[in-house]
Amino acid sequence: MIWQSALTAEVQTQFEILGRCDLNSDYLQRLQQCMDKNPFLPLHSSIREVIFQDIIECRVAPAQKIVESKLAKEFNVSRTSVHRALESLYADGWLVKDNTQSFTVCLITEEHHKALAQIRYFLESAACQIAAYNRTPQDIRSLREAVDEGYSASDLNEFFQADFHFHRAVFNATHNKFFNEINELLHM
């Protein structure tokens, strides 16, 4: 087949690696989902996406140290692939390096937070209007579940995750892929 010849050696290696993995790990499942979504992404880019999701969904707290060797073990990949993913997140400003070259999740400054809040205000208002028009019964259920999740949160981390899920549900209810992409960028 033509598409098979278009696969690079790196992509083929990604599939071979995942074929040997025990996919019971959450990281491996999410890595597989990312690779299924776009099998032509290099392995380090797929790993970056999974770690990025952890950061924006507050699974990894601001100022938390990222242990490269632990992630390599969780993903069942080389430290080089994890390091390249972390370097990419560092280049994008999501991680910082200390004097030992270890990575830590970046703290969001007050100015950064205010700027994001201003943009979120306008975009979320528009998303709500479009979602009100395009919503489905499943969208309403998802919104209710997210609100219930927020009310039952027992700590700040759970609350932030519930907040992310609520806003994701609103943006999903627009049934507009561009709103969903924007939502992923705005929720840190």
Coordinates of all heavy atoms in Angstrom, one line a residue, residues 127-135 173-174:
A127 N -18.4 30.9 23.3 CA -18.6 29.5 23.3 C -19.9 29.1 24.0 O -20.6 28.2 23.5 CB -17.4 28.8 24.0
C128 N -20.3 29.8 25.0 CA -21.5 29.5 25.7 C -22.7 29.8 24.8 O -23.7 29.1 24.7 CB -21.7 30.4 27.0 SG -20.6 29.7 28.3
Q129 N -22.6 30.9 24.1 CA -23.7 31.3 23.1 C -23.9 30.2 22.0 O -25.0 29.8 21.7 CB -23.5 32.7 22.5 CG -23.6 33.8 23.5 CD -23.2 35.1 22.9 OE1 -22.8 35.2 21.8 NE2 -23.4 36.2 23.7
I130 N -22.8 29.8 21.5 CA -22.8 28.8 20.4 C -23.2 27.4 21.0 O -24.0 26.7 20.4 CB -21.5 28.7 19.7 CG1 -21.2 30.0 19.0 CG2 -21.4 27.5 18.7 CD1 -19.8 30.2 18.4
A131 N -22.7 27.1 22.2 CA -23.1 25.8 22.8 C -24.6 25.8 23.1 O -25.2 24.7 23.0 CB -22.3 25.6 24.1
A132 N -25.2 26.9 23.5 CA -26.6 27.0 23.8 C -27.4 26.6 22.6 O -28.5 26.0 22.7 CB -27.0 28.3 24.4
Y133 N -26.9 27.0 21.4 CA -27.6 26.8 20.2 C -27.4 25.4 19.7 O -28.3 24.7 19.2 CB -27.2 27.8 19.1 CG -27.8 27.6 17.8 CD1 -29.2 28.1 17.6 CD2 -27.2 27.1 16.7 CE1 -29.8 27.9 16.4 CE2 -27.8 26.9 15.5 CZ -29.1 27.3 15.3 OH -29.7 27.2 14.1
N134 N -26.1 24.8 19.8 CA -25.8 23.6 19.2 C -25.8 22.4 20.1 O -25.5 21.3 19.7 CB -24.3 23.6 18.6 CG -24.2 24.6 17.4 OD1 -25.2 24.9 16.8 ND2 -23.0 25.1 17.2
R135 N -26.1 22.6 21.4 CA -26.0 21.5 22.4 C -26.9 20.3 22.1 O -27.9 20.4 21.4 CB -26.4 22.1 23.8 CG -27.9 22.2 23.9 CD -28.3 23.0 25.1 NE -29.7 23.1 25.3 CZ -30.6 23.7 24.5 NH1 -30.2 24.2 23.4 NH2 -31.8 23.8 24.8
A173 N -19.6 21.3 23.5 CA -21.0 21.6 23.1 C -21.2 22.5 22.0 O -22.2 22.6 21.3 CB -21.8 22.0 24.3
T174 N -20.1 23.3 21.6 CA -20.2 24.1 20.4 C -20.2 23.3 19.2 O -20.7 23.8 18.1 CB -19.0 25.1 20.4 OG1 -17.8 24.4 20.2 CG2 -18.9 26.0 21.6

